[in-house]
Amino acid sequence: MAVGPALVRDRNAWQHLEAFVVCAVATILITRSFLGATGYPKIGSGGLHIAHMLWGGLLLLLSQLLVLSYLGPVTKPLAAVLGGVGFGLFIDEVGKFVTADNNYFYRPAVAIMYVVFVVIVLAGRLVHDRRPRGPAEQLANAAAIAAEGVVAGLPKAQRAVANRLLMRAAKGGANAEMTAALSTVVALCPPGRATPHFVQTVRNRLPSYLPQSWVLVWLTNILLIGQAAAGIVGSLLVLLTDPHGAELIAGFGQLISAAIAGVLAIVALVLQWSDDRSAMLRWSRYAALVTVLFTEVFDLVEQEFAGLTGVGVGLFALAVIALHERRSRRPLTKAQTST
């Protein structure tokens, strides 16, 4: 068998990355809310001040020590949570380190944080979705599951995943003796208790709570058009106040991107009345992506955390579109075709 890649992608990496980002964003919101409610207290006396960025660094260190020191199914999820909280405490103080006067309240700081998280998510998707895993990576992931089974046992679902990975590795040309040996290890692992990932559980159950009708997509496009209109009006109000520097750039950026997002959403709305549902979903996704990746970056420069409402609209639209794209790939039942 040919030697596989030096960097083997973890099949659960995206779940850990999701937990990292969610914990980091929640930490920033909680930290800012707490500091605002308590009058921005300081830890220290005299000329000393222990910034919360240092506590973030400590948690990041602990997450690294966990990953470097321990095996088992608990290590990476715990490291993702600790690392996310630590990174949130760290990046929350970015305003102090990009300004000459150490300004924690630097207005574009929220936009900087947002861009950082967008880059993290896009980079994660690029790394894990750019190509399918080869036989060496399939085999390595099966071995990792087997190692977890030795430590804590394997629930039925994990055992099935390991066997499926081994089967794919064998079909891809993996070493037969190694595949057979790992299959034996997986079979010998004692039964374990299933501990489903929270994000994965929500993702699996969400479709059953959402309507089966395309009306939700129609409402989503209306919402995107409304968000674009609000962005255009907000940017014009900023530009009419004779802005300078970052405000001028943010105003023009928001105006252009909001106009583009609005046009894309209008096209999607028109296409919804045609038979080409896939094209409609594609244009809707374009509108949501422009909203999330461009319009809201400029909006956050102006409105800071108040601009997160627009981010929520864009993310909700992407979730609805992804759900309907997944449904559109399945055969339609009689009940669905009647909606």
Side-chain angles (χ1 to χ4, degrees):
M1 182 183 67
V3 177
L7 295 176
V8 179
R9 293 169 295 175
D10 184 352
R11 57 177 295 274
N12 291 320
W14 184 244
Q15 293 182 9
H16 302 323
L17 184 59
E18 282 181 328
F20 177 90
V21 170
V22 168
C23 289
V25 172
T27 298
I28 293 171
L29 297 176
I30 292 172
T31 300
R32 293 263 173 164
S33 300
F34 173 78
L35 292 178
T38 56
Y40 298 92
K42 294 183 178 181
I43 300 177
S45 59
L48 297 177
H49 168 54
I50 302 176
H52 55 263
M53 180 197 71
L54 298 177
W55 300 109
L58 177 61
L59 289 175
L60 285 171
L61 173 62
L62 289 176
S63 69
Q64 283 296 299
L65 291 177
L66 275 173
V67 172
L68 295 174
S69 303
Y70 296 99
L71 294 173
V74 177
T75 304
K76 281 192 176 181
L78 182 58
V81 172
L82 291 178
V85 174
F87 185 73
L89 291 173
F90 164 77
I91 199 70
D92 181 61
E93 297 208 271
V94 67
K96 290 185 176 181
F97 303 102
V98 297
T99 56
D101 57 349
N102 296 330
N103 184 9
Y104 178 70
F105 303 101
Y106 181 54
R107 289 183 66 87
V110 180
I112 294 172
M113 297 179 212
Y114 179 70
V115 170
V116 168
F117 287 118
V118 168
V119 170
I120 290 174
V121 172
L122 292 179
R125 282 299 187 190
L126 178 64
V127 169
H128 294 283
D129 295 346
R130 62 188 174 90
R131 60 178 176 84
R133 294 180 181 86
E137 286 185 299
Q138 303 279 10
L139 202 61
N141 276 273
I145 295 176
E148 293 180 358
V150 171
V151 174
L154 285 181
K156 290 182 179 180
Q158 282 291 86
R159 198 183 303 271
V161 169
N163 288 326
R164 188 162 59 248
L165 289 169
L166 290 170
M167 182 178 62
R168 292 175 182 172
K171 289 183 178 179
N175 183 281
E177 294 181 357
M178 190 179 298
T179 303
L182 281 174
S183 181
T184 301
V185 174
V186 170
L188 292 174
C189 287
R193 186 175 60 180
T195 54
H197 190 276
F198 173 74
V199 176
Q200 188 66 36
T201 302
V202 172
R203 184 190 293 128
N204 292 337
R205 293 184 179 181
L206 183 61
S208 62
Y209 297 117
L210 292 176
Q212 299 286 334
S213 173
W214 287 85
V215 172
L216 185 61
V217 181
W218 181 81
L219 292 174
T220 298
N221 285 320
I222 294 294
L223 197 60
L224 287 171
I225 293 171
Q227 183 65 31
I232 292 172
V233 172
S235 61
L236 289 175
L237 292 176
V238 170
L239 293 173
L240 291 175
T241 60
D242 192 26
H244 299 281
E247 290 185 350
L248 179 63
I249 296 173
F252 275 113
Q254 185 180 8
L255 176 63
I256 295 170
S257 58
I260 293 173
V263 170
L264 293 172
I266 290 172
V267 172
L269 197 62
V270 172
L271 287 173
Q272 189 160 349
W273 302 108
S274 69
D275 295 331
D276 194 352
R277 292 290 176 84
S278 61
M280 180 271 296
L281 289 173
R282 186 167 61 251
W283 284 85
S284 297
R285 186 173 67 252
Y286 293 157
L289 286 173
V290 171
T291 299
V292 171
L293 299 180
F294 297 99
T295 307
E296 293 312 313
V297 174
F298 300 115
D299 190 24
L300 289 169
V301 173
E302 292 296 329
Q303 299 193 47
E304 298 185 88
F305 285 98
L308 290 176
T309 303
V311 177
V313 170
L315 293 178
F316 172 77
L318 286 173
V320 170
I321 294 161
L323 173 64
H324 279 76
E325 283 179 330
R326 186 168 57 185
R327 285 176 176 170
S328 65
R329 299 189 192 104
R330 302 173 183 170
L332 293 178
T333 63
K334 292 181 179 180
Q336 289 174 317
T337 53
S338 62
T339 57

